[in-house]
Structures are given as structure tokens and as C-alpha cells.
Amino acid sequence: MNNETFELFFAMLAVATLVGTLIVLASRTILRSTGFGTAVIDGFRPFARPLSAAIATTCMLGSLYFSEIVNYKPCRLCWMQRGAMYPLAVLLVIFTLAKTRNIGRIVVPIAAIGSCISMYHWLLERFPENLDSGVCSKDVPCEFVWFEHFGFVTLPFMALTGFLAIIVFNTLPSATE
């Protein structure tokens, strides 16, 4: 397989994750009072934590693949996103296996910080003339796009999707709410 195949695979995975996240989010907000929304949340709840761990781990392994195998050099904003995602991957796997309760208090703030960095990075790619990051180097500029699929899916967008999924999946209302 070539790099383009992996790029497309991870882009499709990000879009699928985004669609699933939006369905869960719509079910808990817009459709909350309907039987459909409740059924979606109740059916999804048992899988939310393991799926969050799988998403964070996939994001971590994907970023390592692109930097260590394909040699896409991460910029400073990429490193900051990794600084949020890598601990989430480890914590979510441990918390899932240990069946730790109330992990949202730990993982949601980390994911929120990561999502803010990812959103800014993605916007910087889209509008480099309007945003000055002030953190990036000339050797590896933050506005450089290594690849793009579907007109919007880039590496920072993939990270943003992962962070948003982790936030939504780990803030589901309990069965008693």
C-alpha cells in the first residue's frame, strides 16, 4: 500500500467518526425528547468509552505513522495536539479496562484543549493570510497542508474530529438522567 491509500483511509475514518459523533450529539440535544434520541443514546452508551479509547489510540498511531513512516514533519501545533491526544489514548485505555467511573472530569478538559488547538490549526491551514500563529517555524510551517481529502479533511481536522468524539462520548448523560 502507498501513502495515499493510508491518507484516504484515515480521512474516511475521520468523516465516519464525525458523522457518528454528530448523530450522538443530535440524539442528546435535538432529539432528546423523542424516543429515537433516547434509543440512540441508550444503545450507544455501553460502547462510548471503548470507542473513545479506540479513537484516541487510532489518532495516536495515525500521527506516528505519518511522522515516523511517511516522514511528514509535525509542526509545533501538531506537537501540541499530540501532547493532548497521546495521554488521552493511554488514559482512556486504562480507564476502560479498569472500569473507572467519572473519567469525563479528566479526559474532557484535555480533549477540549486539544480540540481548540486543532480547530485553530485547521483554520490556519484554510486562512493562512488572516491568521498568524506566532508559534510555527519557517522550517515546518503550521499552515503547510500535507494532504487534503474531500475538500476539508487534513491532519488537524482528523485530530479535531477525534477530540470532539472523545468529548461527546464521555459526556453522555447517565441512564438515570
Side-chain angles (χ1 to χ4, degrees), residues 121-138:
H121 192 181
W122 184 71
L123 290 171
L124 182 63
E125 287 180 335
R126 309 263 76 64
F127 310 104
E129 65 281 351
N130 296 332
L131 298 171
D132 179 21
S133 69
V135 299
C136 293
S137 70
K138 291 179 179 145

Side-chain angles (χ1 to χ4, degrees), residues 141-163:
C142 293
E143 64 273 5
F144 183 77
V145 178
W146 286 102
F147 64 86
E148 180 178 76
H149 288 282
F150 315 121
F152 64 97
V153 179
T154 62
L155 286 167
F157 185 85
M158 291 179 192
L160 174 62
T161 301
F163 287 125

Side-chain angles (χ1 to χ4, degrees), residues 3-88:
N3 298 339
E4 292 82 21
T5 303
F6 280 102
E7 291 170 3
L8 182 59
F9 170 75
F10 282 110
M12 291 181 353
L13 202 56
V15 170
T17 300
L18 180 61
V19 168
T21 301
L22 292 175
I23 289 170
V24 170
L25 188 59
S27 295
R28 66 185 282 195
T29 56
I30 301 167
L31 304 172
R32 186 177 192 166
S33 61
T34 68
F36 176 76
T38 303
V40 169
I41 295 301
D42 289 345
F44 182 77
R45 189 177 290 110
F47 306 103
R49 188 179 290 181
L51 191 55
S52 293
I55 289 168
T57 302
T58 301
C59 287
M60 180 184 73
L61 294 174
S63 75
L64 288 170
Y65 169 78
F66 286 122
S67 66
E68 301 303 315
I69 307 297
V70 185
N71 291 318
Y72 293 168
K73 300 297 177 214
C75 68
R76 289 185 181 145
L77 289 175
C78 290
W79 280 112
M80 290 179 199
Q81 292 164 74
R82 288 175 176 205
M85 189 62 76
Y86 289 16
L88 283 173

